[in-house]
Amino acid sequence: MPTIHRPRRGSLSYSPRKRSKKEVPHIKTWLHSDKVALQGFAGYKAGMTHVIVVDNKRNSLTEGMEISIPVTVVEVPEMKVAAIRGYTKDTYGSNVSCEAWAEEHDRELKKRIALSKSSSTNHQLDKLQHLIEEGIITDITAIVHTRPNKISGIPKKKPDIMECGISGSDIKARFEYAKSVLGTAVKISDVFKNGDIIDVVAITTGKGTQGPVKRWGISLMKNKHSRAGSLRQVGNLGPWCPAHVSWRVPQLGQTGYQQRTDFNKTVIKISDANKDGVTPSNGFINYGIVRNEYVLVRGSVPGPVKRLIRMRHAIRTKETPREQPILKLSLKSTQG
């Protein structure tokens, strides 16, 4: 009788598969670049469609031919820089040392956090600059937030707050750039351009508690092997001695609603919905009408419709950014 081949099902790299604590994904790593600029942006997933383009990928079988590629529409209204954060580095890693918040804030931001008025913005900036000159501050980042009141398809009144990296080799130049954008609104065209290679980070669609077949992709048991029990279970949980179930054994539990990163996505197009329509005649399914700036990302992205999508410059790509002109944009909405 031949030996049954049952290899390892599912990756253990993401264990433990727990629910994400927040719907706003957290990004720890940013691209190291000499250019001083913001390294990320955020928007809300509207849906999917497809575009007709000329394939400009070298050595491709369809190079120079018209092809259809799927794209995800992400609505990206302007974001506002609320504060500057400085980090110090010690034996245990990086710690927040000082923050400088803007003088004026959106009214909606006060619904999310309690803003302190203990010291003025100029005093906070002077303290931050003094720590930079002494060499205590080793990293500068920006605290930005979305403006959901400008989006009709998102039933949300409170903004989403996140931390965004600032690239640059000189810490003083990064601080001067952060001061110039503090309290101002930034657009996605200030961060990305057509043809850029980006990484997309989001929280996946939650599916609740699921069994090992759907959660790990194990094979169904044969009827002869499971006359008394279920077909959708693990045949052996482990030895009797020790009587312990290893964490490597596929079992039921939380499925979905976890942070995932899609590497090396291409920005097909960045445009304004008021100038160039992208919404289908009946609107995007479960979303509605795109009324602000939007970005077309090649392929699919994690998460359901209306989920916050974070984008950053790709950190592990070898591709050269190349713009790919669109010949035709389909105005038929698809679920993605």
Side-chain angles (χ1 to χ4, degrees):
M1 185 175 180
T3 303
I4 298 176
H5 181 63
R6 287 204 177 116
R8 160 88 237 169
R9 306 290 184 176
S11 174
L12 297 175
S13 302
Y14 305 107
S15 295
R17 297 192 176 187
K18 300 187 297 184
R19 276 178 56 90
S20 176
K21 294 182 179 179
K22 298 180 180 179
E23 194 170 294
V24 179
H26 178 63
I27 300 178
K28 298 180 180 179
T29 307
W30 303 94
L31 178 67
H32 296 286
S33 174
D34 294 335
K35 181 181 178 181
V36 180
L38 283 175
Q39 284 291 295
F41 210 80
Y44 295 93
K45 183 177 178 179
M48 291 192 69
T49 183
H50 67 274
V51 295
I52 306 298
V53 298
V54 176
D55 190 7
N56 60 357
K57 188 176 182 180
R58 297 186 181 92
N59 302 324
S60 173
L61 295 176
T62 57
E63 184 178 5
M65 301 171 58
E66 294 184 6
I67 59 173
S68 174
I69 58 175
V71 293
T72 302
V73 182
V74 181
E75 189 171 4
V76 283
E78 59 185 18
M79 300 179 68
K80 196 167 184 179
V81 181
I84 306 172
R85 175 175 288 176
Y87 282 89
T88 58
K89 202 166 187 179
D90 56 12
T91 309
Y92 302 99
S94 298
N95 300 311
V96 179
S97 175
C98 182
E99 291 181 352
W101 288 79
E103 289 284 353
E104 298 181 358
H105 300 281
D106 290 353
R107 182 178 59 182
E108 292 78 13
L109 185 62
K110 299 178 182 179
K111 299 179 181 179
R112 174 66 68 179
I113 58 174
L115 300 173
S116 175
K117 297 182 179 180
S118 57
S119 59
S120 64
T121 302
N122 293 331
H123 176 71
Q124 295 172 350
L125 290 174
D126 293 340
K127 180 181 178 182
L128 195 57
Q129 185 173 4
H130 177 69
L131 294 176
I132 291 175
E133 292 176 352
E134 290 186 352
I136 300 177
I137 298 294
T138 58
D139 192 15
I140 291 289
T141 60
I143 299 177
V144 299
H145 66 84
T146 59
R147 311 180 87 176
N149 58 335
K150 296 182 176 295
I151 305 179
S152 60
I154 303 296
K156 184 180 296 187
K157 296 181 180 180
K158 297 180 181 179
D160 294 316
I161 306 174
M162 63 207 73
E163 190 174 4
C164 182
I166 300 177
S167 62
S169 57
D170 186 13
I171 187 70
K172 295 182 180 180
R174 293 166 60 186
F175 176 66
E176 293 298 328
Y177 171 78
K179 284 200 304 182
S180 64
V181 297
L182 180 62
T184 63
V186 294
K187 297 183 177 181
I188 190 171
S189 55
D190 301 331
V191 182
F192 301 114
K193 61 180 184 301
N194 294 343
D196 279 353
I197 310 297
I198 63 173
D199 296 335
V200 177
V201 188
I203 306 299
T204 59
T205 305
K207 296 178 173 60
T209 302
Q210 300 294 334
V213 173
K214 182 170 183 176
R215 193 180 187 214
W216 294 97
I218 65 174
S219 302
L220 293 175
M221 299 179 65
K222 296 181 176 60
N223 293 331
K224 188 174 182 180
H225 295 168
S226 181
R227 290 178 181 271
S230 172
L231 301 178
R232 305 174 66 89
Q233 65 182 5
V234 183
N236 185 9
L237 293 179
W240 286 352
C241 184
H244 172 74
V245 180
S246 173
W247 63 275
R248 300 172 183 84
V249 178
Q251 297 196 70
L252 84 166
Q254 171 66 33
T255 306
Y257 205 77
Q258 295 140 354
Q259 179 171 323
R260 294 293 180 262
T261 302
D262 275 5
F263 293 96
N264 301 337
K265 295 288 186 178
T266 305
V267 176
I268 300 296
K269 183 180 180 181
I270 297 175
S271 183
D272 193 344
N274 298 322
K275 301 178 182 178
D276 186 8
V278 70
T279 307
S281 58
N282 57 344
F284 282 101
I285 301 175
N286 298 328
Y287 187 86
I289 302 174
V290 176
R291 304 181 187 274
N292 301 277
E293 285 188 317
Y294 66 89
V295 55
L296 299 182
V297 181
R298 181 166 184 167
S300 61
V301 300
V305 171
K306 300 181 182 180
R307 181 61 51 85
L308 179 73
I309 306 296
R310 295 195 66 182
M311 296 164 282
R312 69 176 178 190
H313 288 283
I315 62 173
R316 54 169 73 172
T317 182
K318 296 182 180 179
E319 300 180 26
T320 303
R322 286 181 295 172
E323 187 174 353
Q324 199 167 24
I326 297 177
L327 301 180
K328 183 181 178 181
L329 171 65
S330 174
L331 295 181
K332 293 183 179 179
S333 174
T334 57
Q335 284 185 319

